[in-house]
Amino acid sequence: MATLRKTIHDAAIAATALVTRLVPDRVPATFVGADSSRELCDAVARSGAKRVLVVTDRTLVEIGVVGRLVEALEAAGMSVSIFDGITPDPTFAAVEAGYAKLVSERAEAVLAVGGGSPIDAAKVIAAMATNGGRIEKLEGRFRVRRPPLALYAIPTTAGTGSEVTLAAVISDSASHAKKFFIDPKLLPLAVALDPLLMLGLPPAMTAATGMDALTHAVEAFLAKTATPQTDAHAVASVRLVFGNLPRAVADGRDVAARKAMALASWYGGLAFTRTSVGYVHAIAHTLGARYGTPHGRANALVLPHVLEFSLDASQERLARLATEIGIEAPSERERALGFIEAVRELEAKIGLAPTLEALRPADIPAIAKQALAEAYANYPVPRFMEASDCEAMLRKMCP
Ligand SMILES: [Fe+2]
């Protein structure tokens, strides 16, 4: 029975890998560096659109980040309206409210400003604008028939990579179940990675979001769907995270470290949008849904355990990552183990605990079941996991 389940899983992954190779590969035009967000605002104005809707959250309005961008857009001759009703894990209702604002303001372009939540919401709002306005018609894979309204993104955290992925995750307003919107048409036209907008991110959020970026890159590198191109992107991301995340956490105003982390997130996004993710994300999503654990924090907690579980299947790949971050050891096995140890050391250095206070042993069977259901026949993992493996792993994360 277990073998049959694994066979079906493997066949589904092989089929997905084939389909993925047929999906057109487009990278949004990307402005990088201090004040690059202003360059993007100028590019939006030059596109010919006159009215733009900024999709964001209230905090970014309150701390003045949005105001500076609005000034830049207005200086370039644009009429700007703001929808700041996006909260973490955005719901269908929030996206529908954003779409209503877009219609009433007759916006011709959408600019997402924020972390993964505003960017994901903006993707769906822009797609609703040209596809009949019904969010439920767009849910699932390849459901966006017509190109969305011109969509631009300025990430203000470095981790989700949403600015370069073809997916959006929106929660059902009633059940809070996460719904996936996956379509290459959801990719923004252009993005700006502006470190000056990230200087105020608190250390704990910098640490957690940075580990999300690392998890995207590592899961992409170990995925059965990896290609030479996704490998190159994943390696670039891993090197940037190990070289810069401790600096960005220790000194949030280190512009060079912030820029490097923005790029790490961007490369990680390019890698996993082609390969998909793995068990780390499946378990982290489940912990997030049950306990409200921030996504990056949950990934950081789970990552070393899943790497240990995958060691035999991924030894050569883990050893390659070790070499990329400067770990030397005589054998491939030692280098692979050295990489897992380096992940643990990085997490300790940036203040992320190896256990989760909220995690209750009594919840573990249900968490394992839900996480494995998310990954089954869906995530191209290097080694198939049974419920008993997942439960044993979760027990190690209890305080
Ligand atoms: Fe993630």
Side-chain angles (χ1 to χ4, degrees), residues 159-160 212-213 215-216 219 272 277 281 285 295-296 299:
T160 72
D212 189 25
T215 305
H216 295 151
E219 294 213 288
F272 91 89
V277 286
H281 269 78
H285 286 153
H295 177 63
N299 277 332

Side-chain angles (χ1 to χ4, degrees), residues 156-158 194-207 209 244-262 350:
T156 58
T157 63
D194 188 342
L196 300 187
L197 304 184
M198 301 176 183
L199 301 183
L201 205 62
M205 271 178 77
T206 303
T209 48
N244 296 279
L245 183 55
R247 281 170 54 205
V249 172
D251 176 9
R253 304 202 69 77
D254 183 330
V255 176
R258 290 291 192 188
K259 178 180 160 189
M261 284 308 302
I350 60 176

